[in-house]
């Protein structure tokens, strides 16, 4: 469920943000980015039922080492206030050798298990998302929390064993990310066709484990 974002650039951060559109899609463009505070304090997020955090970024800047992009989530605790004594937070760092790696001039899809934010021991009152970056120009899109599970054998009977999600960006040139979910181990074949119906590429052709995959 959407929540109100109070600010995409808090008064205490070092960043400039503007609203832009890419192929008709609303996107945030950060320039002069050192660190930016994205706050949703008036309506905190209860992510206790979620398993993952997602964010897409694109930068034209050099992403080779020592360049880094960092994502921090902050939970204000039950009192809903900063410095109330029950705040928790955790920051993850990504570079050109991380998973996913930082790359230049390509969309990077961060699908991060919330369990990776090990210091984030509570997620019932998330109030801040803080990004910091060595690349100083960064486009940001598709920020959300979601639930993903391979489930049990009983659950397999009531869900589609294979789900192909919308690729992003779409339309695209030259790169897009294609996501799909497997609820059981199976042989997967994904092919790309042009508008004339001609096969131009086979991206996947083999057995894959149950999981949420991105190619």
């Amino acid at each position: 469920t959407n929540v109100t974002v109070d600010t995409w650039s808090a008064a205490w951060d070092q960043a400039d943000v503007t609203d832009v559109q890419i192929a008709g899609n609303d996107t945030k463009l950060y320039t002069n980015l050192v660190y930016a505070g994205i706050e949703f304090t008036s309506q905190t997020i209860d992510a206790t039922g979620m398993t993952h955090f997602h964010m897409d970024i694109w930068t034209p800047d050099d992403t080779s080492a020592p360049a880094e992009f960092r994502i921090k989530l902050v939970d204000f605790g039950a009192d809903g206030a900063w410095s109330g004594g029950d705040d928790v937070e955790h920051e993850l760092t990504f570079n050109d050798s991380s998973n996913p790696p930082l790359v230049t001039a390509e969309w990077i899809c961060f699908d991060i298990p919330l369990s990776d934010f090990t210091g984030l021991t509570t997620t019932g009152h998330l109030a801040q998302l803080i990004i910091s970056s060595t690349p100083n120009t960064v486009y940001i899109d598709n920020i959300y929390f979601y639930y993903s599970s391979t489930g049990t054998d009983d659950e397999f009977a009531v869900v589609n064993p294979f789900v192909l999600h919308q690729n992003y960006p779409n339309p695209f040139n030259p790169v897009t990310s294609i996501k799909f979910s497997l609820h059981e181990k199976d042989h997967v074949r994904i092919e790309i066709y042009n508008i004339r119906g001609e096969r131009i590429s086979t991206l996947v052709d083999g057995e894959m484990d149950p999981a949420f995959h991105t190619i």
Side-chain angles (χ1 to χ4, degrees), residues 18-206:
T18 54
D19 294 319
V20 298
Q21 283 202 335
I22 300 176
N25 184 54
D26 292 330
T27 308
K28 298 295 182 183
L29 167 59
Y30 285 88
T31 53
N32 304 311
L33 174 60
V34 180
Y35 59 93
I38 302 168
E39 296 189 313
F40 22 93
T41 51
S42 62
Q43 184 183 1
T44 60
I45 294 174
D46 182 359
T48 53
M50 304 293 101
T51 59
H52 287 72
F53 171 80
H54 180 97
M55 171 189 286
D56 296 331
I57 74 167
W58 189 97
T59 178
D61 296 348
D62 182 17
T63 55
S64 58
E68 293 182 337
F69 183 82
R70 293 175 291 277
I71 300 173
K72 179 188 288 189
L73 292 175
V74 183
D75 189 295
F76 278 8
D79 64 0
W82 170 245
S83 297
D86 54 356
D87 309 337
V88 293
E89 62 182 50
H90 191 88
E91 183 176 68
L92 297 176
T93 300
F94 300 90
N95 52 39
D96 61 359
S97 61
S98 62
N99 183 25
L102 279 187
V103 291
T104 300
E106 292 184 21
W107 279 101
I108 307 165
C109 296
F110 294 104
D111 275 302
I112 309 171
L114 288 175
S115 58
D116 286 3
F117 295 90
T118 53
L120 198 69
T121 53
T122 61
T123 57
H125 301 85
L126 293 169
Q128 289 178 334
L129 163 63
I130 302 172
I131 57 172
S132 51
S133 181
T134 307
N136 300 125
T137 300
V138 179
Y139 293 80
I140 289 183
D141 200 10
N142 297 325
I143 298 174
Y144 54 86
F145 295 86
Y146 69 94
Y147 173 81
S148 177
S149 174
T150 56
T152 65
D153 290 341
D154 289 336
E155 290 176 307
F156 292 155
V158 297
V159 299
N160 191 335
F162 177 84
V163 178
L164 180 63
H165 303 275
Q166 176 65 54
N167 65 298
Y168 182 82
N170 183 29
F172 63 91
N173 182 22
V175 175
T176 190
S177 292
I178 300 175
K179 301 177 183 183
F180 59 95
S181 303
L182 284 178
H183 289 276
E184 56 190 25
K185 191 171 186 176
D186 207 343
H187 187 96
V188 175
R189 183 177 177 89
I190 295 182
E191 300 172 333
I192 303 297
Y193 289 78
N194 63 21
I195 60 175
R196 294 184 295 273
E198 301 166 332
R199 185 176 68 222
I200 60 173
S201 180
T202 299
L203 303 180
V204 176
D205 187 9

